[in-house]
Amino acid sequence: MKAFLALAISWACVNAVQAQDFAKGKVYLDVNKNGKLDKNEQGIASVSVSNGREVTTTDKDGNYQLPVGNDNIIFVVKPTGYALPLDENNHPKFYYIHKVNGSPVSKYPAVAATGKIPAAVNFAMYQQDEDPNFSAFVFGDPQAYTEEELAYFKNGVINEISDKTIAKFGISLGDLVGDDLSLQPKYKSVISTMGLPWYNVMGNHDMNYDAKLDSLSDESFERTFGPNNYAFNYGNTHFIILDNIIYPNPRTGKGYLGGFRKDQLDFVENDLKNVAKDKLIVLAFHIPSYHQNSDVFRNEDRQRLFDILAPFKHTLSLSAHTHFQRQYFYGQNEGWKQEKPHHEYNVGTTSGDWYSGELNEKGIPVSTMRDGTPKGYAILKIEGNQYSFDYKVVGKPATYQIDLYGASVVPEKYTKRYPIYANFFIGKEGDKVTYRINQGEWKEMDFVNENDPAFLNSLAKYDTATELKNTRRPSNPEKSSHLWTANLPKLKAGKYQIEVQAIDLFNRVHLATKTIEVR
């Protein structure tokens, strides 16, 4: 009781609330799935419940109590072995929005006044079997600016996934829409057609730009999706979803800055106090935290996050935002406290290069990203507390992991002047990428930090056009972090098969082939 009173006093001091109030309720097993706590339904013990900063756990009868101010979202952290109820859009129902006076007036609809906290805020759950070996879809930046682009997302990504049952749930890593927040409910309806529970991260294009405080920049997001900082468990994995955009930028008063508020990191610290140290911790946020430039991401916030994660040996971060794909590893020089580096996967986007480029046979922009990564999504695969992932290019077979670029016909006299490029989509510097010709000896290719030549070629079609092109010009290129090259040897006239083999960071082998003719 003394500890709880101290918690309440701390919350009151930090938030300067005029009158302390409490959220109370029960986390219970909803046996008949009617969404109501019936007399014969039992509470669930040891479940975490949070107000966005403090985290408590339910007692043996499933009861909890938390301090609240005038603006809180009370939410439950789904434990392993339980499912959350879903709304008509397959959105998990795990939170209660408490905004006594509602959201401030904004350009877009937000949360209406809720009045005082109800006498009981209960959370229903159902039992379910959870294999510690499972998969999840991970989508980077759907980022539809218009209903037309939302249709591109549905028809060009969602409808292309023939077997949606390979995953237990999905996560979108922010920029769900492109500044028009009236599209958020429509996005929610579109993503529901995946037929899976779906968790959403807030991005910088999902914010209320007329907000004066960072804590108020998420009001429309909260109306549609609930909290933008929360957690849940599945199998032996603990997922933490975080908003890492600070808006307005506290240093300039304009734009945004990557980082976290203190109360967000307090939540992470308090949440992880109830998580076993042998679990895999997966963090999902929008802006990559690997920026060394403190004008892009606040280094002190990343450092505190790393300090909090220090006791956990199995960790992974997922980000998007950049519209290219990159693997990054944090070592002790970057403030990571363990011998094994922390891996952040900056995932390619489902909007690709903002729905740009020529149209495919279905009338949908090809939208190759500016580092040459084709539009697609990730499939996170977890076994116990270990992870791997695949990057699935939209509309291509799962084996398409390497794009080969080079001339298909070369003159015999000048073969040594002709390069072959291999863009290995999930690759990183240091990976072993080799090639051979007509079953010959395997030879290493050279890693290069250059612009992808295939992307440059697609861009040149716009920049050298002699007729009007009505589709959106692709963005300027970004140097690829997963590109290799080799010059052809001297070859006699004839046909040759070039094979490229790449070994990824999980020691899996990927192959690609290309046929050339020497004349």
Side-chain angles (χ1 to χ4, degrees), residues 139-151:
F139 285 6
D141 298 47
Q143 202 166 346
Y145 284 82
T146 63
E147 290 195 38
E148 180 185 38
E149 291 185 348
L150 201 55

Side-chain angles (χ1 to χ4, degrees), residues 1 31 49 58 69 71 103 116 135 143 220 257 327-328 437 465:
M1 185 63 183
V31 177
V49 186
T58 56
D71 185 353
S103 300
K116 65 179 184 179
S135 296
Q143 202 166 346
S220 291
L257 177 67
Q327 314 299 332
Y328 194 83
I437 301 175

Side-chain angles (χ1 to χ4, degrees), residues 340-360:
K340 179 183 176 182
H342 174 68
H343 179 200
E344 180 176 335
Y345 176 23
N346 186 219
V347 182
T349 56
T350 51
S351 60
D353 181 51
W354 293 276
Y355 302 104
S356 66
E358 297 182 317
L359 304 182
N360 65 15

Side-chain angles (χ1 to χ4, degrees), residues 132-133 236-237 278-281 314-315 382-387:
N133 303 334
N236 199 37
T237 304
D278 64 344
K279 281 201 171 191
L280 171 63
I281 309 300
H314 310 288
T315 60
I382 292 176
E383 296 185 4
N385 58 14
Q386 303 298 307
Y387 69 89

